[in-house]
Structures are given as structure tokens and as C-alpha cells.
Amino acid sequence: DAVELPIKFFPQDAGCYHCQILLKSSRDFRVYVIKCVVNTDDAEAEIEFLTPAYQAVIQNIPINNVSSQDWKLEAVLEGQGFYGPPSINVGLGEIALYPLMFKPIAEC
């Protein structure tokens, strides 16, 4: 015995949205709590580093938190010669800079 309850949700922006649905009859009350987390579309970016071998260059990458909660982000770096912190915290409504360093050990 199941009844479908179709719900349509049209978020304006990225963020965390909360909703409560109250269903009641003469014999029963039920409250359903719904939480939707909306992310922005995937974005692609390209950074070109130019530095002599054995010399480091750092590019600060801005991360803008427009959601309704603090973020703790983990970084996974792939590729030889790239370095950066393994995680970064970005507070609600803040912009944090992720320092990505490239230090080549040879000409490449």
C-alpha cells in the first residue's frame, strides 16, 4: 500500500534547502523532512604555468562559497611537480584562496 506524492523543486541558486511536508488524517499525523543540496554546474578552467626548472611558481585559486553552510574541501592533486594543501576550509559567504604550487624538477 503506497501512494506517490510527486514533488517539483526549482532552486534559484546553489545551496541547502529544507522542507517539511505534513500529512494528516483523522487517525494519523506524519511529518516528512526533506533536505536538498544543490550544486552548481561543473566548471572547467585551465591554468598555464611558466617557470624555469627547479623554481616554484604559486597560483592562488579563488574558491567562492555561495552556499548556506561552511565547506571543508579536500584536494587531490595529480601530476608531477604540483603541490598544495590536502584540504581547505571555506566559510559561509567567504572566498578562500587555494595555493597551487608548481615546481618542476626538469624542463617539461
Side-chain angles (χ1 to χ4, degrees):
D1 294 340
V3 175
E4 289 188 25
L5 180 63
I7 298 173
K8 290 186 179 182
F9 175 60
F10 301 100
Q12 297 294 323
D13 294 305
C16 187
Y17 296 86
H18 299 272
C19 174
Q20 288 186 353
I21 299 174
L22 172 64
L23 300 176
K24 62 181 179 177
S25 69
S26 60
R27 295 187 211 172
D28 193 14
F29 282 88
R30 295 182 188 215
V31 177
Y32 293 90
V33 177
I34 298 173
K35 176 181 176 182
C36 281
V37 177
V38 179
N39 298 319
T40 58
D41 293 334
D42 291 337
E44 290 188 28
E46 185 175 312
I47 300 174
E48 184 175 323
F49 290 97
L50 182 61
T51 185
Y54 304 105
Q55 292 187 19
V57 62
I58 296 175
Q59 174 67 51
N60 288 313
I61 300 172
I63 300 173
N64 188 5
N65 181 354
V66 295
S67 75
S68 59
Q69 62 189 26
D70 294 341
W71 288 348
K72 179 173 181 173
L73 304 174
E74 293 183 15
V76 177
L77 300 178
E78 296 179 357
Q80 189 174 13
F82 289 94
Y83 305 93
S87 65
I88 186 170
N89 294 313
V90 186
L92 164 69
E94 293 181 355
I95 298 175
L97 299 177
Y98 182 83
L100 179 62
M101 179 173 61
F102 178 61
K103 185 176 182 182
I105 57 171
E107 185 176 333
C108 59

